[in-house]
Amino acid sequence: MTIKRIHSGGEFEVKIGYCRAVVAGGFVHVAGTVGQGDTVEEQCRSALDTIGKALEQAGTSFANAVRVNYYLPDAAEFEPCWPILSEAFGDNPPAATMIECGLINPKFRIEIELTALAG
């Protein structure tokens, strides 16, 4: 089996020892991804942009997403992200889970982890 590792250059990739995405076994596994910005909406868009670039490098897109997990320190902040997420996935929504939990840094409001079919 061939494994392709995709790096985005994020600060935690080197510090922790992981890559943004791994293509293996017919799937693209995208690591938990946080975004930049002051609001949960800005961070959600930024994280989706980073994920979208990784999917593109893997030869696939959000249309092939099969599973997504959302992690937020405050579940009440999830609803403002719904229109952004709905727009990203369009007519091809994946199975999804939202979990309220602590993130690596208190400045982060949302982390998104995704699995897609490889292109």
Side-chain angles (χ1 to χ4, degrees), residues 72-90:
L72 292 92
D74 182 355
E77 288 194 325
F78 190 44
E79 189 170 351
C81 295
W82 295 355
I84 299 162
L85 300 170
S86 181
E87 180 181 333
F89 294 108

Side-chain angles (χ1 to χ4, degrees), residues 13 18 20 27-28 34-36 46 51 99 113:
E13 289 179 35
Y18 73 96
R20 177 64 42 220
F27 290 94
V28 181
V34 296
Q36 300 304 309
S46 176
I51 292 167
I99 299 168
E113 175 184 49

Side-chain angles (χ1 to χ4, degrees), residues 22-111:
V22 174
V23 183
F27 290 94
V28 181
H29 305 274
V30 182
T33 303
V34 296
Q36 300 304 309
D38 295 324
T39 68
V40 69
E41 295 95 339
E42 290 170 343
Q43 290 186 20
C44 182
R45 283 187 191 94
S46 176
L48 289 171
D49 182 57
T50 300
I51 292 167
K53 288 175 184 172
L55 292 173
E56 186 176 317
Q57 286 183 271
T60 193
S61 69
F62 285 108
N64 289 325
V66 295
R67 182 81 176 137
V68 64
N69 294 315
Y70 304 105
Y71 305 97
L72 292 92
D74 182 355
E77 288 194 325
F78 190 44
E79 189 170 351
C81 295
W82 295 355
I84 299 162
L85 300 170
S86 181
E87 180 181 333
F89 294 108
D91 293 332
N92 303 293
T97 301
M98 192 285 297
I99 299 168
E100 185 176 48
C101 63
L103 299 180
I104 197 164
N105 185 315
K107 73 179 181 179
F108 296 122
R109 309 307 313 145
I110 187 169
E111 183 171 338

